[in-house]
Amino acid sequence: MLFNFIMLNAVSGGSGMANLLMIVAIIVIFYFFMVRPQQKKQKEIRKFREGIQEGQKVVTAGGIYGKVRKIKDTSFSIEIAPNVCITVDKGSVYPSAQEAQTESDADKK
């Protein structure tokens, strides 16, 4: 039965090969337009989180802006107002827009 299937595909002029090429092309396009840019963005965020220093301005995933006051193993203490600190997980901290703009301007020079 498998032999008959293979023979039918061979006799039909290779349309099976064209279908296979289309599937491979779709996978390649999906990778370059969806997966790769996302991996690149995650790598940049991971690099930022590893390089955070005390006094740096950040924004949390919840939208709270502040300055890093203390760095722990899995969390940060962030000052959001004078003498008001909160502790957030390292995974929920992103660069503030102002800080990101300053860094990108420095990279361009």
Side-chain angles (χ1 to χ4, degrees):
M1 182 133 180
L2 180 61
F3 180 74
N4 289 339
F5 178 74
I6 293 170
M7 291 304 290
L8 286 174
N9 280 338
V11 173
S12 68
S15 66
M17 185 62 115
N19 289 339
L20 181 62
L21 288 175
M22 289 297 285
I23 291 172
V24 169
I26 289 171
I27 291 171
V28 168
I29 290 169
F30 181 77
Y31 175 77
F32 280 107
F33 286 105
M34 300 283 287
V35 176
R36 191 164 180 252
Q38 184 64 28
Q39 288 175 341
K40 192 174 182 181
K41 186 175 180 179
Q42 287 175 345
K43 186 177 180 182
E44 290 174 7
I45 290 172
R46 188 178 328 113
K47 183 180 174 184
F48 166 77
R49 287 180 183 151
E50 291 171 356
I52 290 180
Q53 299 173 355
E54 291 181 5
Q56 190 169 359
K57 293 180 181 180
V58 295
V59 63
T60 67
I64 299 172
Y65 287 79
K67 284 187 178 181
V68 176
R69 289 295 172 211
K70 190 172 183 183
I71 300 172
K72 300 177 185 174
D73 288 337
T74 60
S75 62
F76 295 112
S77 287
I78 299 176
E79 184 177 33
I80 57 174
N83 297 322
V84 178
C85 288
I86 59 172
T87 302
V88 296
D89 187 57
K90 281 188 175 182
S92 65
V93 176
Y94 301 95
S96 70
Q98 181 182 15
E99 190 88 9
Q101 182 65 37
T102 305
E103 288 177 10
S104 69
D105 289 343
D107 289 341
K108 290 179 183 178
K109 291 181 180 180

